[in-house]
Structures are given as structure tokens and as C-alpha cells.
PDB file of all heavy atoms in Angstrom:
ATOM      1  N   GLN V 236      53.846 240.816  58.198  1.00 53.00           N
ATOM      2  CA  GLN V 236      53.458 239.968  57.069  1.00 53.00           C
ATOM      3  C   GLN V 236      54.101 240.397  55.815  1.00 53.00           C
ATOM      4  O   GLN V 236      54.589 239.573  55.024  1.00 53.00           O
ATOM      5  CB  GLN V 236      51.888 239.967  56.935  1.00 53.00           C
ATOM      6  CG  GLN V 236      51.379 239.056  55.831  1.00 53.00           C
ATOM      7  CD  GLN V 236      49.844 239.051  55.820  1.00 53.00           C
ATOM      8  OE1 GLN V 236      49.203 239.641  56.669  1.00 53.00           O
ATOM      9  NE2 GLN V 236      49.321 238.339  54.843  1.00 53.00           N
ATOM     10  N   ASN V 237      54.131 241.767  55.576  1.00 55.00           N
ATOM     11  CA  ASN V 237      54.880 242.269  54.377  1.00 55.00           C
ATOM     12  C   ASN V 237      56.347 241.960  54.429  1.00 55.00           C
ATOM     13  O   ASN V 237      56.937 241.674  53.410  1.00 55.00           O
ATOM     14  CB  ASN V 237      54.674 243.804  54.297  1.00 55.00           C
ATOM     15  CG  ASN V 237      53.232 244.177  53.970  1.00 55.00           C
ATOM     16  OD1 ASN V 237      52.508 243.333  53.415  1.00 55.00           O
ATOM     17  ND2 ASN V 237      52.799 245.379  54.303  1.00 55.00           N
ATOM     18  N   SER V 238      56.963 242.001  55.669  1.00 56.00           N
ATOM     19  CA  SER V 238      58.387 241.678  55.744  1.00 56.00           C
ATOM     20  C   SER V 238      58.652 240.197  55.388  1.00 56.00           C
ATOM     21  O   SER V 238      59.624 239.897  54.706  1.00 56.00           O
ATOM     22  CB  SER V 238      58.847 241.929  57.210  1.00 56.00           C
ATOM     23  OG  SER V 238      58.693 243.268  57.534  1.00 56.00           O
ATOM     24  N   LYS V 239      57.731 239.398  55.793  1.00 54.00           N
ATOM     25  CA  LYS V 239      57.906 237.955  55.456  1.00 54.00           C
ATOM     26  C   LYS V 239      57.810 237.738  53.970  1.00 54.00           C
ATOM     27  O   LYS V 239      58.562 236.963  53.352  1.00 54.00           O
ATOM     28  CB  LYS V 239      56.836 237.142  56.167  1.00 54.00           C
ATOM     29  CG  LYS V 239      57.055 237.040  57.638  1.00 54.00           C
ATOM     30  CD  LYS V 239      55.956 236.175  58.282  1.00 54.00           C
ATOM     31  CE  LYS V 239      56.108 236.082  59.786  1.00 54.00           C
ATOM     32  NZ  LYS V 239      55.051 235.302  60.458  1.00 54.00           N
ATOM     33  N   GLU V 240      56.873 238.475  53.326  1.00 59.00           N
ATOM     34  CA  GLU V 240      56.693 238.300  51.883  1.00 59.00           C
ATOM     35  C   GLU V 240      57.971 238.816  51.150  1.00 59.00           C
ATOM     36  O   GLU V 240      58.436 238.185  50.153  1.00 59.00           O
ATOM     37  CB  GLU V 240      55.474 239.129  51.448  1.00 59.00           C
ATOM     38  CG  GLU V 240      54.165 238.543  51.879  1.00 59.00           C
ATOM     39  CD  GLU V 240      52.957 239.406  51.455  1.00 59.00           C
ATOM     40  OE1 GLU V 240      53.222 240.474  50.823  1.00 59.00           O
ATOM     41  OE2 GLU V 240      51.842 238.962  51.718  1.00 59.00           O
ATOM     42  N   LYS V 241      58.512 239.958  51.640  1.00 58.00           N
ATOM     43  CA  LYS V 241      59.719 240.487  51.007  1.00 58.00           C
ATOM     44  C   LYS V 241      60.920 239.528  51.161  1.00 58.00           C
ATOM     45  O   LYS V 241      61.701 239.302  50.266  1.00 58.00           O
ATOM     46  CB  LYS V 241      60.063 241.837  51.559  1.00 58.00           C
ATOM     47  CG  LYS V 241      59.154 242.949  51.201  1.00 58.00           C
ATOM     48  CD  LYS V 241      59.549 244.279  51.807  1.00 58.00           C
ATOM     49  CE  LYS V 241      58.620 245.400  51.378  1.00 58.00           C
ATOM     50  NZ  LYS V 241      59.010 246.683  51.991  1.00 58.00           N
ATOM     51  N   SER V 242      61.019 238.973  52.388  1.00 61.00           N
ATOM     52  CA  SER V 242      62.109 237.981  52.655  1.00 61.00           C
ATOM     53  C   SER V 242      61.965 236.786  51.791  1.00 61.00           C
ATOM     54  O   SER V 242      62.927 236.212  51.234  1.00 61.00           O
ATOM     55  CB  SER V 242      62.081 237.609  54.120  1.00 61.00           C
ATOM     56  OG  SER V 242      63.083 236.671  54.391  1.00 61.00           O
ATOM     57  N   TYR V 243      60.732 236.321  51.582  1.00 59.00           N
ATOM     58  CA  TYR V 243      60.434 235.137  50.807  1.00 59.00           C
ATOM     59  C   TYR V 243      60.798 235.402  49.332  1.00 59.00           C
ATOM     60  O   TYR V 243      61.443 234.605  48.638  1.00 59.00           O
ATOM     61  CB  TYR V 243      58.987 234.753  50.908  1.00 59.00           C
ATOM     62  CG  TYR V 243      58.576 233.583  50.059  1.00 59.00           C
ATOM     63  CD1 TYR V 243      58.893 232.300  50.389  1.00 59.00           C
ATOM     64  CD2 TYR V 243      57.849 233.846  48.854  1.00 59.00           C
ATOM     65  CE1 TYR V 243      58.506 231.266  49.561  1.00 59.00           C
ATOM     66  CE2 TYR V 243      57.484 232.750  48.041  1.00 59.00           C
ATOM     67  CZ  TYR V 243      57.795 231.506  48.403  1.00 59.00           C
ATOM     68  OH  TYR V 243      57.421 230.452  47.598  1.00 59.00           O
ATOM     69  N   ARG V 244      60.408 236.585  48.849  1.00 65.00           N
ATOM     70  CA  ARG V 244      60.715 236.971  47.448  1.00 65.00           C
ATOM     71  C   ARG V 244      62.223 237.108  47.254  1.00 65.00           C
ATOM     72  O   ARG V 244      62.762 236.695  46.221  1.00 65.00           O
ATOM     73  CB  ARG V 244      60.012 238.254  47.068  1.00 65.00           C
ATOM     74  CG  ARG V 244      58.511 238.184  46.993  1.00 65.00           C
ATOM     75  CD  ARG V 244      57.853 239.512  46.783  1.00 65.00           C
ATOM     76  NE  ARG V 244      56.425 239.400  46.713  1.00 65.00           N
ATOM     77  CZ  ARG V 244      55.624 240.447  46.655  1.00 65.00           C
ATOM     78  NH1 ARG V 244      56.083 241.736  46.698  1.00 65.00           N
ATOM     79  NH2 ARG V 244      54.286 240.242  46.596  1.00 65.00           N
ATOM     80  N   LEU V 245      62.927 237.654  48.216  1.00 62.00           N
ATOM     81  CA  LEU V 245      64.366 237.793  48.124  1.00 62.00           C
ATOM     82  C   LEU V 245      65.026 236.450  48.024  1.00 62.00           C
ATOM     83  O   LEU V 245      66.011 236.194  47.277  1.00 62.00           O
ATOM     84  CB  LEU V 245      64.926 238.617  49.328  1.00 62.00           C
ATOM     85  CG  LEU V 245      66.440 238.826  49.309  1.00 62.00           C
ATOM     86  CD1 LEU V 245      66.884 239.626  48.108  1.00 62.00           C
ATOM     87  CD2 LEU V 245      66.844 239.568  50.604  1.00 62.00           C
ATOM     88  N   THR V 246      64.544 235.520  48.859  1.00 62.00           N
ATOM     89  CA  THR V 246      65.141 234.136  48.871  1.00 62.00           C
ATOM     90  C   THR V 246      64.923 233.490  47.523  1.00 62.00           C
ATOM     91  O   THR V 246      65.833 232.835  46.979  1.00 62.00           O
ATOM     92  CB  THR V 246      64.473 233.276  49.965  1.00 62.00           C
ATOM     93  OG1 THR V 246      64.678 233.915  51.211  1.00 62.00           O
ATOM     94  CG2 THR V 246      65.057 231.874  49.994  1.00 62.00           C
ATOM     95  N   ILE V 247      63.681 233.617  46.972  1.00 64.00           N
ATOM     96  CA  ILE V 247      63.363 233.090  45.643  1.00 64.00           C
ATOM     97  C   ILE V 247      64.289 233.668  44.586  1.00 64.00           C
ATOM     98  O   ILE V 247      64.849 232.979  43.720  1.00 64.00           O
ATOM     99  CB  ILE V 247      61.922 233.307  45.286  1.00 64.00           C
ATOM    100  CG1 ILE V 247      61.020 232.490  46.238  1.00 64.00           C
ATOM    101  CG2 ILE V 247      61.651 232.883  43.808  1.00 64.00           C
ATOM    102  CD1 ILE V 247      61.180 231.029  46.144  1.00 64.00           C
ATOM    103  N   PHE V 248      64.519 234.960  44.664  1.00 63.00           N
ATOM    104  CA  PHE V 248      65.392 235.666  43.701  1.00 63.00           C
ATOM    105  C   PHE V 248      66.819 235.138  43.781  1.00 63.00           C
ATOM    106  O   PHE V 248      67.488 234.861  42.751  1.00 63.00           O
ATOM    107  CB  PHE V 248      65.368 237.157  43.929  1.00 63.00           C
ATOM    108  CG  PHE V 248      66.312 237.957  43.092  1.00 63.00           C
ATOM    109  CD1 PHE V 248      65.984 238.191  41.736  1.00 63.00           C
ATOM    110  CD2 PHE V 248      67.509 238.383  43.596  1.00 63.00           C
ATOM    111  CE1 PHE V 248      66.823 238.871  40.921  1.00 63.00           C
ATOM    112  CE2 PHE V 248      68.414 239.099  42.764  1.00 63.00           C
ATOM    113  CZ  PHE V 248      68.084 239.349  41.448  1.00 63.00           C
ATOM    114  N   VAL V 249      67.340 235.016  45.008  1.00 57.00           N
ATOM    115  CA  VAL V 249      68.708 234.521  45.163  1.00 57.00           C
ATOM    116  C   VAL V 249      68.857 233.107  44.682  1.00 57.00           C
ATOM    117  O   VAL V 249      69.862 232.764  43.907  1.00 57.00           O
ATOM    118  CB  VAL V 249      69.164 234.632  46.626  1.00 57.00           C
ATOM    119  CG1 VAL V 249      70.524 233.932  46.857  1.00 57.00           C
ATOM    120  CG2 VAL V 249      69.241 236.044  47.073  1.00 57.00           C
ATOM    121  N   LEU V 250      67.931 232.255  44.978  1.00 59.00           N
ATOM    122  CA  LEU V 250      67.997 230.878  44.510  1.00 59.00           C
ATOM    123  C   LEU V 250      67.914 230.794  42.978  1.00 59.00           C
ATOM    124  O   LEU V 250      68.574 229.976  42.356  1.00 59.00           O
ATOM    125  CB  LEU V 250      66.853 230.067  45.126  1.00 59.00           C
ATOM    126  CG  LEU V 250      66.969 229.778  46.622  1.00 59.00           C
ATOM    127  CD1 LEU V 250      65.721 229.091  47.164  1.00 59.00           C
ATOM    128  CD2 LEU V 250      68.196 228.916  46.930  1.00 59.00           C
ATOM    129  N   SER V 251      67.111 231.674  42.419  1.00 62.00           N
ATOM    130  CA  SER V 251      66.996 231.687  40.939  1.00 62.00           C
ATOM    131  C   SER V 251      68.274 232.120  40.287  1.00 62.00           C
ATOM    132  O   SER V 251      68.717 231.515  39.252  1.00 62.00           O
ATOM    133  CB  SER V 251      65.859 232.652  40.528  1.00 62.00           C
ATOM    134  OG  SER V 251      64.612 232.269  41.056  1.00 62.00           O
ATOM    135  N   VAL V 252      68.934 233.118  40.899  1.00 56.00           N
ATOM    136  CA  VAL V 252      70.255 233.548  40.374  1.00 56.00           C
ATOM    137  C   VAL V 252      71.268 232.400  40.426  1.00 56.00           C
ATOM    138  O   VAL V 252      72.030 232.129  39.512  1.00 56.00           O
ATOM    139  CB  VAL V 252      70.743 234.809  41.111  1.00 56.00           C
ATOM    140  CG1 VAL V 252      72.187 235.114  40.741  1.00 56.00           C
ATOM    141  CG2 VAL V 252      69.828 235.983  40.787  1.00 56.00           C
ATOM    142  N   ILE V 253      71.283 231.733  41.606  1.00 57.00           N
ATOM    143  CA  ILE V 253      72.247 230.636  41.748  1.00 57.00           C
ATOM    144  C   ILE V 253      71.990 229.535  40.775  1.00 57.00           C
ATOM    145  O   ILE V 253      72.844 228.934  40.120  1.00 57.00           O
ATOM    146  CB  ILE V 253      72.168 230.063  43.228  1.00 57.00           C
ATOM    147  CG1 ILE V 253      72.692 231.165  44.166  1.00 57.00           C
ATOM    148  CG2 ILE V 253      72.985 228.817  43.319  1.00 57.00           C
ATOM    149  CD1 ILE V 253      72.517 230.718  45.647  1.00 57.00           C
ATOM    150  N   LEU V 254      70.664 229.133  40.597  1.00 55.00           N
ATOM    151  CA  LEU V 254      70.310 228.128  39.631  1.00 55.00           C
ATOM    152  C   LEU V 254      70.715 228.493  38.191  1.00 55.00           C
ATOM    153  O   LEU V 254      71.222 227.711  37.461  1.00 55.00           O
ATOM    154  CB  LEU V 254      68.806 227.867  39.703  1.00 55.00           C
ATOM    155  CG  LEU V 254      68.254 226.796  38.779  1.00 55.00           C
ATOM    156  CD1 LEU V 254      68.909 225.420  39.087  1.00 55.00           C
ATOM    157  CD2 LEU V 254      66.741 226.722  38.907  1.00 55.00           C
ATOM    158  N   LEU V 255      70.485 229.742  37.850  1.00 56.00           N
ATOM    159  CA  LEU V 255      70.829 230.220  36.541  1.00 56.00           C
ATOM    160  C   LEU V 255      72.357 230.159  36.313  1.00 56.00           C
ATOM    161  O   LEU V 255      72.819 229.778  35.247  1.00 56.00           O
ATOM    162  CB  LEU V 255      70.321 231.689  36.315  1.00 56.00           C
ATOM    163  CG  LEU V 255      70.659 232.328  34.935  1.00 56.00           C
ATOM    164  CD1 LEU V 255      70.044 231.544  33.852  1.00 56.00           C
ATOM    165  CD2 LEU V 255      70.176 233.790  34.942  1.00 56.00           C
ATOM    166  N   ALA V 256      73.097 230.559  37.356  1.00 53.00           N
ATOM    167  CA  ALA V 256      74.583 230.479  37.265  1.00 53.00           C
ATOM    168  C   ALA V 256      75.044 229.049  37.040  1.00 53.00           C
ATOM    169  O   ALA V 256      75.964 228.793  36.227  1.00 53.00           O
ATOM    170  CB  ALA V 256      75.202 231.080  38.519  1.00 53.00           C
ATOM    171  N   CYS V 257      74.414 228.108  37.761  1.00 51.00           N
ATOM    172  CA  CYS V 257      74.794 226.685  37.633  1.00 51.00           C
ATOM    173  C   CYS V 257      74.501 226.216  36.201  1.00 51.00           C
ATOM    174  O   CYS V 257      75.305 225.474  35.614  1.00 51.00           O
ATOM    175  CB  CYS V 257      74.074 225.870  38.664  1.00 51.00           C
ATOM    176  SG  CYS V 257      74.578 226.086  40.357  1.00 51.00           S
ATOM    177  N   VAL V 258      73.346 226.591  35.698  1.00 46.00           N
ATOM    178  CA  VAL V 258      72.961 226.159  34.329  1.00 46.00           C
ATOM    179  C   VAL V 258      73.967 226.726  33.321  1.00 46.00           C
ATOM    180  O   VAL V 258      74.438 226.048  32.433  1.00 46.00           O
ATOM    181  CB  VAL V 258      71.539 226.592  33.992  1.00 46.00           C
ATOM    182  CG1 VAL V 258      71.221 226.393  32.512  1.00 46.00           C
ATOM    183  CG2 VAL V 258      70.554 225.833  34.877  1.00 46.00           C
ATOM    184  N   MET V 259      74.303 228.016  33.448  1.00 52.00           N
ATOM    185  CA  MET V 259      75.268 228.650  32.545  1.00 52.00           C
ATOM    186  C   MET V 259      76.652 228.007  32.656  1.00 52.00           C
ATOM    187  O   MET V 259      77.309 227.714  31.644  1.00 52.00           O
ATOM    188  CB  MET V 259      75.340 230.134  32.821  1.00 52.00           C
ATOM    189  CG  MET V 259      74.120 230.928  32.499  1.00 52.00           C
ATOM    190  SD  MET V 259      74.212 232.673  32.955  1.00 52.00           S
ATOM    191  CE  MET V 259      75.482 233.193  31.761  1.00 52.00           C
ATOM    192  N   PHE V 260      77.101 227.680  33.858  1.00 43.00           N
ATOM    193  CA  PHE V 260      78.399 227.038  34.056  1.00 43.00           C
ATOM    194  C   PHE V 260      78.417 225.662  33.405  1.00 43.00           C
ATOM    195  O   PHE V 260      79.367 225.302  32.722  1.00 43.00           O
ATOM    196  CB  PHE V 260      78.682 226.931  35.548  1.00 43.00           C
ATOM    197  CG  PHE V 260      79.957 226.163  35.833  1.00 43.00           C
ATOM    198  CD1 PHE V 260      81.211 226.791  35.636  1.00 43.00           C
ATOM    199  CD2 PHE V 260      79.939 224.855  36.227  1.00 43.00           C
ATOM    200  CE1 PHE V 260      82.387 226.071  35.932  1.00 43.00           C
ATOM    201  CE2 PHE V 260      81.067 224.135  36.462  1.00 43.00           C
ATOM    202  CZ  PHE V 260      82.311 224.769  36.363  1.00 43.00           C
ATOM    203  N   SER V 261      77.308 224.909  33.584  1.00 43.00           N
ATOM    204  CA  SER V 261      77.263 223.588  33.002  1.00 43.00           C
ATOM    205  C   SER V 261      77.292 223.699  31.475  1.00 43.00           C
ATOM    206  O   SER V 261      77.898 222.841  30.796  1.00 43.00           O
ATOM    207  CB  SER V 261      75.989 222.839  33.437  1.00 43.00           C
ATOM    208  OG  SER V 261      75.984 222.690  34.801  1.00 43.00           O
ATOM    209  N   GLY V 262      76.598 224.702  30.974  1.00 45.00           N
ATOM    210  CA  GLY V 262      76.605 224.870  29.493  1.00 45.00           C
ATOM    211  C   GLY V 262      77.953 225.183  28.966  1.00 45.00           C
ATOM    212  O   GLY V 262      78.427 224.563  27.982  1.00 45.00           O
ATOM    213  N   PHE V 263      78.652 226.124  29.632  1.00 41.00           N
ATOM    214  CA  PHE V 263      80.034 226.463  29.209  1.00 41.00           C
ATOM    215  C   PHE V 263      80.973 225.288  29.329  1.00 41.00           C
ATOM    216  O   PHE V 263      81.814 225.020  28.482  1.00 41.00           O
ATOM    217  CB  PHE V 263      80.572 227.627  30.056  1.00 41.00           C
ATOM    218  CG  PHE V 263      79.968 228.972  29.727  1.00 41.00           C
ATOM    219  CD1 PHE V 263      79.510 229.791  30.748  1.00 41.00           C
ATOM    220  CD2 PHE V 263      79.754 229.363  28.402  1.00 41.00           C
ATOM    221  CE1 PHE V 263      78.953 231.001  30.467  1.00 41.00           C
ATOM    222  CE2 PHE V 263      79.128 230.578  28.149  1.00 41.00           C
ATOM    223  CZ  PHE V 263      78.765 231.363  29.148  1.00 41.00           C
ATOM    224  N   GLN V 264      80.811 224.483  30.409  1.00 38.00           N
ATOM    225  CA  GLN V 264      81.656 223.312  30.620  1.00 38.00           C
ATOM    226  C   GLN V 264      81.394 222.299  29.533  1.00 38.00           C
ATOM    227  O   GLN V 264      82.317 221.670  29.008  1.00 38.00           O
ATOM    228  CB  GLN V 264      81.352 222.703  31.979  1.00 38.00           C
ATOM    229  CG  GLN V 264      82.347 221.579  32.369  1.00 38.00           C
ATOM    230  CD  GLN V 264      81.983 221.040  33.748  1.00 38.00           C
ATOM    231  OE1 GLN V 264      80.835 220.807  34.034  1.00 38.00           O
ATOM    232  NE2 GLN V 264      82.984 220.851  34.540  1.00 38.00           N
ATOM    233  N   SER V 265      80.133 222.099  29.156  1.00 38.00           N
ATOM    234  CA  SER V 265      79.812 221.123  28.102  1.00 38.00           C
ATOM    235  C   SER V 265      80.445 221.518  26.784  1.00 38.00           C
ATOM    236  O   SER V 265      80.968 220.709  26.025  1.00 38.00           O
ATOM    237  CB  SER V 265      78.300 220.985  27.920  1.00 38.00           C
ATOM    238  OG  SER V 265      77.730 220.512  29.130  1.00 38.00           O
ATOM    239  N   VAL V 266      80.373 222.834  26.446  1.00 36.00           N
ATOM    240  CA  VAL V 266      80.984 223.312  25.220  1.00 36.00           C
ATOM    241  C   VAL V 266      82.457 223.103  25.276  1.00 36.00           C
ATOM    242  O   VAL V 266      83.123 222.691  24.299  1.00 36.00           O
ATOM    243  CB  VAL V 266      80.660 224.800  25.026  1.00 36.00           C
ATOM    244  CG1 VAL V 266      81.442 225.423  23.840  1.00 36.00           C
ATOM    245  CG2 VAL V 266      79.162 225.019  24.788  1.00 36.00           C
ATOM    246  N   TYR V 267      83.089 223.385  26.389  1.00 33.00           N
ATOM    247  CA  TYR V 267      84.532 223.225  26.526  1.00 33.00           C
ATOM    248  C   TYR V 267      84.949 221.729  26.299  1.00 33.00           C
ATOM    249  O   TYR V 267      85.903 221.440  25.624  1.00 33.00           O
ATOM    250  CB  TYR V 267      84.989 223.693  27.919  1.00 33.00           C
ATOM    251  CG  TYR V 267      86.475 223.461  28.189  1.00 33.00           C
ATOM    252  CD1 TYR V 267      87.444 224.237  27.514  1.00 33.00           C
ATOM    253  CD2 TYR V 267      86.884 222.501  29.094  1.00 33.00           C
ATOM    254  CE1 TYR V 267      88.763 224.034  27.727  1.00 33.00           C
ATOM    255  CE2 TYR V 267      88.216 222.295  29.332  1.00 33.00           C
ATOM    256  CZ  TYR V 267      89.144 223.094  28.672  1.00 33.00           C
ATOM    257  OH  TYR V 267      90.467 222.901  28.881  1.00 33.00           O
ATOM    258  N   ILE V 268      84.217 220.822  27.012  1.00 31.00           N
ATOM    259  CA  ILE V 268      84.520 219.389  26.872  1.00 31.00           C
ATOM    260  C   ILE V 268      84.314 218.981  25.419  1.00 31.00           C
ATOM    261  O   ILE V 268      85.090 218.170  24.858  1.00 31.00           O
ATOM    262  CB  ILE V 268      83.639 218.583  27.785  1.00 31.00           C
ATOM    263  CG1 ILE V 268      84.026 218.889  29.250  1.00 31.00           C
ATOM    264  CG2 ILE V 268      83.730 217.113  27.521  1.00 31.00           C
ATOM    265  CD1 ILE V 268      83.118 218.289  30.279  1.00 31.00           C
ATOM    266  N   PHE V 269      83.247 219.462  24.767  1.00 32.00           N
ATOM    267  CA  PHE V 269      83.054 219.092  23.343  1.00 32.00           C
ATOM    268  C   PHE V 269      84.187 219.545  22.518  1.00 32.00           C
ATOM    269  O   PHE V 269      84.643 218.771  21.626  1.00 32.00           O
ATOM    270  CB  PHE V 269      81.701 219.714  22.882  1.00 32.00           C
ATOM    271  CG  PHE V 269      81.490 219.511  21.410  1.00 32.00           C
ATOM    272  CD1 PHE V 269      81.000 218.336  20.934  1.00 32.00           C
ATOM    273  CD2 PHE V 269      81.740 220.546  20.528  1.00 32.00           C
ATOM    274  CE1 PHE V 269      80.783 218.140  19.590  1.00 32.00           C
ATOM    275  CE2 PHE V 269      81.550 220.345  19.147  1.00 32.00           C
ATOM    276  CZ  PHE V 269      81.081 219.134  18.726  1.00 32.00           C
ATOM    277  N   LYS V 270      84.700 220.781  22.721  1.00 32.00           N
ATOM    278  CA  LYS V 270      85.804 221.247  21.942  1.00 32.00           C
ATOM    279  C   LYS V 270      87.022 220.433  22.208  1.00 32.00           C
ATOM    280  O   LYS V 270      87.824 220.160  21.293  1.00 32.00           O
ATOM    281  CB  LYS V 270      86.052 222.698  22.251  1.00 32.00           C
ATOM    282  CG  LYS V 270      84.957 223.676  21.694  1.00 32.00           C
ATOM    283  CD  LYS V 270      85.329 225.128  21.935  1.00 32.00           C
ATOM    284  CE  LYS V 270      84.263 225.997  21.266  1.00 32.00           C
ATOM    285  NZ  LYS V 270      84.607 227.465  21.507  1.00 32.00           N
TER     286      LYS V 270
END
């Protein structure tokens, strides 16, 4: 049960990192297009 919780938390963490990277990339792209 603890292993499942750790795996679930790791998945959430990875997805959060990916989502944050996408948001940052979109932001940089918007700034570039604006310039």
C-alpha cells in the first residue's frame, strides 16, 4: 500500500513538472511572438 502511494505521488510530481514546463514554454513563446 505504501509502494502504491509513493508511485502515485511520483506520478503526480512528474506530471506537475511537465505541466509547469509547458506553461513556461508557452509564456516564453508568447513573449517572443509579441516581440
Side-chain angles (χ1 to χ4, degrees):
Q236 184 174 355
N237 291 339
S238 298
K239 289 181 181 179
E240 290 177 358
K241 289 181 180 179
S242 177
Y243 176 76
R244 290 174 182 173
L245 180 61
T246 302
I247 294 297
F248 175 77
V249 172
L250 290 176
S251 300
V252 170
I253 294 174
L254 180 60
L255 179 61
C257 290
V258 171
M259 292 177 66
F260 175 77
S261 299
F263 288 133
Q264 189 180 44
S265 299
V266 171
Y267 176 71
I268 293 172
F269 173 79
K270 288 184 176 180

